[in-house]
Amino acid sequence: IILGLLEPQKGYLYVDGKKINRNSHRAWQQLIGYVPQNIYLSDDTIAANIAYGTDEENINLEAVEYAAKVANLHSFVINELPNQYQTFIGERGVRLSGGQRQRIGIARALYHKPQLLIFDEATNALDNITERLVMDEVYKIKKDLTVILIAHRLDTVKKCDIIFLMENGKIIEQGKFDELVKKNRKFR
């Protein structure tokens, strides 16, 4: 519903006091950066996959590099790929590890400088160290945007302003990390 892919069965989605409806949902969607659990990659360059949907001649390489730095991908691209951002990654990114593919997805979500960033289990393919580095960068930029994280790993949400603990599709607890650890055994 937040992504604008489904309409609410009852009630409405309001953002900053404005109702999101059929007339406004496309404009709303353009403000969102979304990182799903499974990233689609095309048989194209790193830059084209980060700027996915942008015509090649209109790709902003500064924005590509900025997004790659936040996603902890830039040094890999610069130091390990023969053609750096112009390196072709193969169909579905077969020349990359799962974590590298996921970081391209994170960079893609950041490329257009969204106002809302949604991570749907977006760091699950990353090792713990890389996840921490990526999340540290996301927490640095969160003052400029709203971030919604869906995660199973508790370390991923440790620095969130508010955490909603859900069970069977219902919110059973909410608060800051330290509060939830004290209140709810399931959170430990």
Side-chain angles (χ1 to χ4, degrees):
I1 292 172
I2 291 172
L3 291 170
L5 300 175
L6 299 173
E7 288 187 32
Q9 295 300 307
K10 60 182 181 178
Y12 303 96
L13 174 63
Y14 284 88
V15 178
D16 295 331
K18 295 178 187 148
K19 184 175 171 182
I20 305 300
N21 57 32
R22 288 183 181 165
N23 298 327
S24 61
H25 89 276
R26 292 303 268 157
W28 165 241
Q29 286 175 320
Q30 291 179 341
L31 302 176
I32 300 172
Y34 174 62
V35 187
Q37 192 169 359
N38 298 307
I39 304 296
Y40 169 79
L41 297 175
S42 62
D43 185 10
D44 210 334
T45 65
I46 296 277
N49 273 284
I50 291 173
Y52 189 75
T54 304
D55 293 331
E56 189 175 345
E57 63 275 2
N58 294 327
I59 293 175
N60 178 337
L61 290 177
E62 285 181 23
V64 166
E65 284 189 25
Y66 165 79
K69 285 176 183 173
V70 173
N72 196 36
L73 183 68
H74 180 72
S75 59
F76 163 73
V77 171
I78 295 301
N79 297 322
E80 297 186 37
L81 295 180
N83 298 316
Q84 299 177 339
Y85 285 98
Q86 299 311 313
T87 301
F88 279 80
I89 61 170
E91 190 173 333
R92 293 187 314 269
V94 294
R95 295 187 181 112
L96 302 172
S97 72
Q100 291 159 344
R101 288 191 295 269
Q102 201 68 20
R103 286 182 278 163
I104 288 175
I106 293 167
R108 177 185 294 164
L110 294 166
Y111 175 76
H112 292 288
K113 296 195 170 140
Q115 292 180 22
L116 172 64
L117 181 62
I118 300 176
F119 277 36
D120 186 359
E121 290 287 340
T123 60
N124 71 335
L126 304 179
D127 61 77
N128 289 336
I129 293 169
T130 304
E131 178 186 39
R132 188 171 26 87
L133 293 170
V134 169
M135 292 312 299
D136 285 348
E137 291 300 318
V138 168
Y139 289 125
K140 284 180 193 172
I141 64 168
K142 80 174 188 169
K143 66 183 182 315
D144 299 324
L145 68 150
T146 300
V147 179
I148 297 175
L149 296 172
I150 296 115
H152 286 91
R153 279 192 242 173
L154 294 180
D155 281 348
T156 306
V157 299
K158 220 173 198 172
K159 295 181 184 176
C160 289
D161 295 330
I162 188 164
I163 300 166
F164 296 92
L165 182 60
M166 298 186 72
E167 189 174 275
N168 299 322
K170 297 191 185 306
I171 297 171
I172 61 169
E173 205 75 66
Q174 71 184 56
K176 292 195 172 284
F177 185 85
D178 293 338
E179 296 169 354
L180 292 176
V181 168
K182 290 176 187 171
K183 282 193 222 178
N184 196 306
R185 277 179 218 219
K186 292 179 181 183
F187 200 73
R188 295 180 195 147

